[in-house]
Amino acid sequence: MYTTDLRTKEQKQKDQQEQLATVTEDDAAFQERIDDDQFIEPKDYMPEAYRKTLIRQIAQHAHSEIVGMLPEGNWVTRAPSLRRKLILIAKIQDEAGHGLYLYSAAETLGVARDDLVQELHEGKAKYSTIFNYPSLNWADIGAIGWLVDGAAITNQIPLCRTSYGPYARAMVRVCKEESFHQRQGYELMMAMAKGSEAQKEMAQDALNRWWWPSLMMFGPPDAESTHTAQSMAWKIKRFTNDELRQRFIDATIPQAEALGLTVPDPDLKWNEERGHYDYGEIDWDEFWAVVRGEGICARDRIRDRVNAYEDGAWVREAAEAYAAKQNQKAAVA
Ligand code: BYC
């Protein structure tokens, strides 16, 4: 069974260095394939550490998609129109699909989806910090689509060229859907920002609360990132956390300006020399606290996932009974 890695950051870095020091011929040939931009497929040789890194990242990603349904699910019954409700339900359903592609991609690496899900339910698995924040007003649904899906696309488009074939292929479809999610979020924000004074205030309030957590989605600063250097060498990651965070900020500020909303960062300003926006200090203490499971909604999220899983037991049983019946028929024929 795959278990959560409880080693300290220093220990992980030390182990990685030791592993790299003992490069076999197979490992060297593997790295050549990576350097040559070839995809690695499930039955190909891969170093054990590469396999483990992928399982960790893909499983965390799958859990994020599934837990990510909850803050939005909170608003389905209160969507202000039939059109908005349909869009929201379709989006949430897409996230479930993303989770399934990703669990399937993880399974090609020799882990069982049930084991991964169990880890999530036991509170041992990580998922994106962003989903531990509450969705408090209707404009939050717009902000999630615009900012959270916007950050997700920024991170995931490069993953379409990640070195592991099944993960890369899953990402192609995920990104197409995320693009629709981002646009519907921005369109919702536009309706709110250009609406009544009260609606504009709701949109601003949502931006104020989701801005900083969205920047945290990209992970710790490069200097504090445990896995970036090795994951870049293996082309699992194509850009560093800070590079993608900067790309997201640069793309999003003009969008906020078009909405007439103010990004809650007094230090934000265009830097002509760098050709990028400078931005203020991110509260990394808050980030690490949420990673440790101390986020506002952390307990609710796990409780809701466990309840949903238990409520769905009859569906799994019915599917298994149906499959058994089909197999029986096939055996007789
Ligand atoms: N939240 O060495 P680092 C979505 C952990 S779904 C929690 O930089 P890495 C959507 C990290 O796991 C969005 N933990 O890690 C869904 C590591 O701990 P471990 C999800 C985080 O992996 C529904 C430690 O911190 N997207 O968009 O090289 C509705 C050190 O970090 C976070 C993905 O999962 C975090 N934010 O880089 C709407 C994309 N950040 O494992 C939208 C795929 C870091 O050593 N994942 N940690 O115990 C990735 O690209 C990378 O895993 C990350 C982190 C950039 C997130």
Side-chain angles (χ1 to χ4, degrees), residues 19-315:
Q19 253 158 7
L20 289 177
T22 52
V23 176
T24 64
E25 255 177 48
D26 283 341
D27 291 340
F30 169 85
Q31 189 61 49
E32 266 176 37
R33 291 190 60 194
I34 297 276
D35 294 343
D36 191 36
D37 275 338
Q38 291 179 31
F39 282 123
I40 305 300
E41 298 298 337
K43 290 188 176 162
D44 294 346
Y45 171 81
M46 61 184 85
E48 189 52 20
Y50 175 84
R51 195 180 73 86
K52 283 198 171 143
T53 299
L54 277 170
I55 293 173
R56 179 188 63 77
Q57 178 167 323
I58 299 173
Q60 288 174 1
H61 194 165
H63 298 325
S64 304
E65 300 283 356
I66 297 297
V67 177
M69 295 159 74
L70 296 169
E72 295 181 294
N74 184 32
W75 280 91
V76 170
T77 57
R78 290 172 289 168
S81 69
L82 181 59
R83 174 174 171 268
R84 292 287 179 202
K85 190 186 288 234
L86 284 172
I87 295 172
L88 184 57
I89 292 174
K91 177 181 190 301
I92 295 169
Q93 222 168 312
D94 285 350
E95 310 300 359
H98 299 174
L100 298 189
Y101 314 149
L102 287 161
Y103 284 127
S104 299
E107 286 194 306
T108 65
L109 291 155
V111 279
R113 174 170 148 194
D114 279 349
D115 290 342
L116 299 176
V117 170
Q118 196 181 330
E119 287 222 316
L120 175 70
H121 292 175
E122 287 171 359
K124 292 183 192 159
K126 287 196 170 75
Y127 58 88
S128 183
T129 42
I130 192 79
F131 302 117
N132 290 303
Y133 292 86
S135 48
L136 301 179
N137 87 46
W138 171 250
D140 286 27
I141 297 304
I144 291 174
W146 172 37
L147 300 174
V148 176
D149 287 274
I153 301 175
T154 310
N155 167 281
Q156 287 169 15
I157 284 183
L159 289 177
C160 297
R161 282 294 309 161
T162 191
S163 57
Y164 187 56
Y167 190 22
R169 288 189 287 274
M171 279 302 111
V172 172
R173 177 146 176 202
V174 169
C175 283
K176 286 189 179 147
E177 292 174 350
E178 296 291 21
S179 168
F180 152 71
H181 297 170
Q182 196 271 352
R183 277 152 195 253
Q184 69 79 34
Y186 191 70
E187 194 260 343
L188 198 164
M189 284 305 268
M190 182 73 81
M192 299 289 285
K194 306 285 176 203
S196 66
E197 252 333 284
Q199 284 174 312
K200 185 168 180 184
E201 271 171 34
M202 285 165 75
Q204 183 62 56
D205 175 51
L207 172 57
N208 292 348
R209 283 179 292 103
W210 290 93
W211 175 252
W212 292 104
S214 297
L215 299 190
M216 293 176 195
M217 283 177 75
F218 294 93
D222 293 348
E224 287 176 35
S225 165
T226 324
H227 306 286
T228 295
Q230 183 57 69
S231 289
M232 296 278 286
W234 280 329
K235 296 188 181 169
I236 292 175
K237 286 168 87 163
R238 292 298 196 139
F239 296 93
T240 71
N241 300 354
D242 286 332
E243 282 167 351
L244 292 174
R245 192 172 2 254
Q246 182 73 62
R247 188 179 288 189
F248 171 72
I249 292 170
D250 291 347
T252 309
I253 300 307
Q255 296 168 1
E257 283 167 2
L259 290 173
L261 298 177
T262 309
V263 172
D265 178 357
D267 295 324
L268 190 79
K269 64 170 185 311
W270 178 252
N271 183 324
E272 196 61 51
E273 242 169 70
R274 290 203 312 126
H276 293 292
Y277 282 94
D278 290 337
Y279 55 96
E281 185 60 30
I282 294 172
D283 184 347
W284 293 113
D285 290 341
E286 176 180 319
F287 169 78
W288 289 116
V290 182
V291 171
R292 284 195 303 272
E294 295 162 25
I296 305 171
C297 300
R299 282 179 188 206
D300 295 357
R301 299 296 186 234
I302 298 301
R303 184 205 57 215
D304 290 350
R305 282 314 314 156
V306 171
N307 288 345
Y309 187 80
E310 286 171 0
D311 288 348
W314 69 272
V315 180

